[in-house]
């Protein structure tokens, strides 16, 4: 036999549950039946829980947010430095810069460095083709050597040639690691170029000394 238990607390609990479920408690039975022996009819299926566990709860749909255009972000100013290059790559630029400074300091029209074979090493504002100017430097350089022989002046290293009524060509011979080189310039006849030439010769020799040493190491390795 099943016993019926009437309790005011149970009635209030049922009424609160029905209110939470949105059901009208009026007209419904307030009698709660408890089976003492467990042989009574199976209870009706319970409604979906209101307060579900977080692990089983179905997430509420996220309200759609209209897309907004993102503000334009200016690209960062990134300065890219050029990769470090070998010093020998800029040897010609250094010589040209030296010749440029020589001409501007001394008021010269142009200048060139040539080797003993008549090849141009570096030039700035050459008045004629580089090959022609370098060949002239080599020919005048041989004249210096002959003057040393005939005059017996071992310190002779400079020769000047008037090319017209206004201009002159000057060749200054110098050596780097026993290799002869020539600095040939064109300038007005009234200019005394010697001090500026001597000032630039030391700088030119220091640049060529590194290049000549590098070339010697390369030839030995080959």
């Amino acid at each position: 036999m099943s016993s019926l238990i009437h309790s005011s607390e149970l009635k209030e609990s049922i009424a609160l549950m029905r209110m939470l479920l949105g059901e009208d408690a009026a007209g419904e039975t307030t009698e709660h039946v408890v089976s003492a022996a467990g042989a009574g009819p199976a209870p009706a299926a319970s409604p979906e829980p209101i307060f579900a566990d977080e692990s089983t709860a179905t997430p509420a749909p996220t309200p759609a947010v209209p897309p907004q255009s993102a503000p334009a972000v200016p690209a960062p100013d990134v300065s890219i430095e050029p990769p470090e290059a070998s010093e020998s790559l800029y040897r010609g630029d250094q010589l040209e810069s030296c010749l440029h400074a020589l001409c501007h300091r001394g008021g010269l029209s142009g200048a060139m460095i040539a080797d003993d074979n008549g090849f141009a090493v570096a030039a700035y504002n050459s008045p004629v083709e580089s090959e022609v100017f370098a060949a002239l430097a080599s020919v005048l350089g041989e004249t210096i050597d002959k003057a040393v022989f005939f005059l017996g002046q071992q310190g002779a290293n400079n020769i000047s040639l008037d090319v017209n009524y206004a201009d002159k060509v000057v060749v200054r011979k110098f050596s780097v690691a026993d290799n002869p080189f020539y600095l040939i310039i064109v300038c007005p006849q009234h200019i005394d170029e010697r001090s500026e030439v001597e000032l630039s010769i030391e700088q030119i020799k220091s640049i060529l000394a590194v290049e000549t040493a590098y070339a010697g190491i390369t030839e030995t390795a080959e």
Side-chain angles (χ1 to χ4, degrees):
M1 296 293 294
S2 61
S3 60
L4 298 179
I5 301 176
H6 303 278
S7 171
S8 59
E9 289 81 1
L10 289 176
K11 293 178 180 181
E12 292 178 2
S13 299
I14 293 172
L16 290 174
M17 290 297 295
R18 286 177 176 174
M19 289 177 61
L20 290 174
L21 293 172
E23 298 179 358
D24 188 5
E28 297 290 339
T29 177
T30 58
E31 191 176 67
H32 183 69
V33 179
V34 179
S35 174
S46 60
E48 291 294 329
I50 297 179
F51 304 102
D53 184 75
E54 294 180 358
S55 61
T56 60
T58 303
T62 304
V65 179
Q68 298 181 357
S69 59
V73 179
D77 185 11
V78 180
S79 58
I80 302 177
E81 297 183 357
E84 184 178 357
S86 173
E87 185 180 358
S88 62
L89 296 178
Y90 298 107
R91 200 72 59 202
D93 294 337
Q94 293 177 3
L95 291 172
E96 289 182 13
S97 177
C98 184
L99 296 178
H100 176 272
L102 167 63
C103 291
H104 278 261
R105 285 196 318 264
L108 313 182
S109 302
M112 172 182 283
I113 301 170
D115 62 13
D116 196 36
N117 296 319
F119 293 106
V121 177
Y124 171 74
N125 199 26
S126 176
V128 292
E129 293 293 331
S130 297
E131 294 79 4
V132 176
F133 207 33
L136 176 60
S138 178
V139 170
L140 293 177
E142 292 177 1
T143 304
I144 295 175
D145 293 337
K146 291 180 179 180
V148 171
F149 175 77
F150 287 112
L151 299 177
Q153 299 293 322
Q154 299 299 322
N157 56 16
N158 185 82
I159 188 172
S160 176
L161 175 67
D162 292 344
V163 294
N164 52 37
Y165 289 103
D167 300 316
K168 63 181 177 180
V169 172
V170 179
V171 174
R172 168 67 159 84
K173 182 180 179 180
F174 62 96
S175 297
V176 177
D178 296 330
N179 297 312
F181 290 90
Y182 305 101
L183 171 62
I184 181 172
I185 64 172
V186 177
C187 64
Q189 292 184 14
H190 68 276
I191 289 180
D192 186 359
E193 78 291 340
R194 289 174 294 181
S195 60
E196 293 296 339
V197 166
E198 294 304 319
L199 180 64
S200 298
I201 282 292
E202 295 304 319
Q203 184 179 3
I204 294 172
K205 289 171 66 175
S206 64
I207 297 172
L208 287 175
V210 178
E211 186 177 70
T212 304
Y214 179 80
I217 294 173
T218 306
E219 292 175 358
T220 302
E222 292 176 354

